[in-house]
Amino acid sequence: MCLKIARLKFSSPVHFGELGIGIEETEEIIHSDTLFSGLCHAWASLYGKTDLEEMLDAFESEPPFLLSSCFIYQGQTYFLPKPAIQPPGFEEARIREEHGKSIKKMGYLPAQVFKKWVKQEKITYETLKEDYPDYADGFEQDIIPRVAIDRVTSNSSIYHFGLVKFNKEKDAGLYCLLKVLNKDYEQRLDSTFRLLGELGLGGERSSGYGRFEVSFPEVPDDLKEISQFEGDRHCLLSLFHPENGVELKDASYGLLERRGWILSPYLKKQYKRKTVTMFSEGSVFSKPIKGHLVNVTPEIWSKEDVHPIYRYGFG
């Protein structure tokens, strides 16, 4: 097994859709299923449909690689989703009353703090706020107005579009962790990431959004230590969908509904894929987790007989 890190340095704003009205809502992270879909498109462009299908077939038995969602980095500080368990050092009612709401609002932690959290080493609120970069400094969310022209009447209407810009002064961008379980796939995976950077991720790619340069630096010691740490619970760094149920006793988790449109280079029509609910990043389970590729092919798409549609649901 080879642990890798991919750093995505964006050269343009991005739009990663979120549930909401219209396209005003956008997230600053890329969920693992979105990243995997983008990689599949780039893989097919590089190596062809047959090679892509062979890669997807490999996931049915033993995944050739696993990937996390993409989270914020600032310089050499890597953020991870806050584990859904009580932070160590906050057992006293006085401390919970004073800082509990602030801690609850935190969605992401520096890797150094995440490591202490999962090892149940004492953390102070002052350390969280003073010793590490502020998560929100890594990006800026904005909403811009746009105009749509009716093709028949030529009437115009205004709509709003949400976007995220990463802070170049803070050397901010996104990164993901990769576990390459089959070395035969490593070189192709690297090349696919590079092509994906040229194609872009997220919405409005035809306008130049979502493009990035990828690098594969040495994995930082904190992330190595986290990946090798053997505790008695399991914390998600990706979206997760169990194939045959999951043990929820002593689990603490969030749920995320995933839906959207199908985009395929092999058919110009667009259909909605099946909606699926997945466990979100930061969820904690008492038993080992695996997951699977979730078949979200709608019945109308199956009639087109092109290819199945999957969502990446491995933990």
Side-chain angles (χ1 to χ4, degrees):
M1 187 273 290
C2 172
L3 182 67
K4 294 166 65 78
I5 184 171
R7 279 172 57 122
L8 317 183
K9 189 169 186 178
F10 287 85
S11 57
S12 61
V14 300
H15 174 85
F16 305 132
E18 188 177 24
L19 291 180
I21 300 173
I23 54 175
E24 296 94 335
E25 300 294 332
T26 181
E27 293 184 287
E28 74 276 9
I29 71 166
I30 306 171
H31 294 290
S32 52
D33 58 346
T34 298
L35 175 62
F36 187 78
S37 294
L39 288 171
C40 286
H41 278 266
W43 195 292
S45 297
L46 266 181
Y47 303 110
K49 183 180 177 183
T50 300
D51 197 90
L52 172 62
E53 289 172 344
E54 291 175 356
M55 184 267 283
L56 293 173
D57 288 342
F59 276 89
E60 293 297 321
S61 52
E62 188 62 39
F65 60 86
L66 297 172
L67 50 85
S68 74
S69 296
C70 290
F71 307 113
I72 295 281
Y73 73 82
Q74 290 185 48
Q76 294 305 310
T77 300
Y78 295 88
F79 288 88
L80 288 167
K82 181 182 70 178
I85 55 174
Q86 180 173 290
F90 286 73
E91 292 79 10
E92 293 183 26
R94 177 187 60 82
I95 297 177
R96 290 200 301 273
E97 185 176 343
E98 186 176 357
H99 301 301
K101 288 184 179 179
S102 299
I103 291 294
K104 192 173 183 179
K105 289 179 181 178
M106 291 182 179
Y108 300 90
L109 306 170
Q112 300 94 318
V113 177
F114 180 95
K115 182 175 66 175
K116 290 183 178 181
W117 196 300
V118 297
K119 287 187 173 184
Q120 292 294 284
E121 298 175 3
K122 186 175 181 179
I123 300 169
T124 65
Y125 180 75
E126 289 72 25
T127 295
L128 284 172
K129 296 303 292 182
E130 297 172 9
D131 293 354
Y132 300 100
D134 189 339
Y135 177 78
D137 287 344
F139 63 95
E140 176 186 359
Q141 290 185 328
D142 197 6
I143 295 179
I144 58 174
R146 288 189 170 179
V147 177
I149 307 296
D150 189 281
R151 294 180 180 178
V152 178
T153 65
S154 296
N155 291 335
S156 62
S157 59
I158 295 178
Y159 68 98
H160 292 84
F161 178 78
L163 57 85
V164 170
K165 298 177 183 176
F166 294 103
N167 192 332
K168 294 183 179 180
E169 292 183 0
K170 299 285 186 180
D171 187 24
L174 296 177
Y175 80 96
C176 72
L177 291 171
L178 303 163
K179 275 187 177 180
V180 182
L181 304 173
N182 185 333
K183 291 287 287 182
D184 293 340
Y185 284 81
E186 184 174 5
Q187 186 58 52
R188 281 181 287 174
L189 193 56
D190 290 0
S191 299
T192 302
F193 261 100
R194 292 190 173 91
L195 177 59
L196 182 58
E198 297 177 15
L199 298 175
L201 267 170
E204 298 292 299
R205 293 188 301 277
S206 60
S207 299
Y209 283 18
R211 293 179 182 172
F212 61 86
E213 290 185 3
V214 64
S215 60
F216 301 95
E218 183 72 20
V219 179
D221 291 338
D222 286 314
L223 293 176
K224 280 183 183 177
E225 191 173 340
I226 289 167
S227 71
Q228 295 167 359
F229 176 62
E230 295 185 5
D232 58 359
R233 291 189 243 186
H234 307 267
C235 181
L236 288 178
L237 299 184
S238 65
L239 295 184
F240 164 60
H241 191 278
E243 186 171 14
N244 298 305
V246 63
E247 176 61 66
L248 294 181
K249 184 180 179 182
D250 298 324
S252 184
Y253 57 88
L255 297 173
L256 201 61
E257 186 179 90
R258 305 296 285 161
R259 60 189 184 189
W261 295 86
I262 297 169
L263 175 66
S264 172
Y266 304 109
L267 190 68
K268 300 308 178 184
K269 298 178 183 178
Q270 276 200 318
Y271 300 111
K272 277 191 173 181
R273 71 192 84 180
K274 288 182 179 178
T275 299
V276 63
T277 300
M278 307 178 82
F279 291 96
S280 60
E281 301 92 344
S283 298
V284 175
F285 299 92
S286 59
K287 300 290 184 181
I289 53 171
K290 184 180 178 183
H292 66 128
L293 292 182
V294 191
N295 193 323
V296 292
T297 311
E299 291 182 10
I300 191 171
W301 178 269
S302 299
K303 294 176 182 178
E304 300 285 358
D305 194 26
V306 184
H307 56 75
I309 306 298
Y310 296 108
R311 272 202 184 276
Y312 180 87
F314 282 90

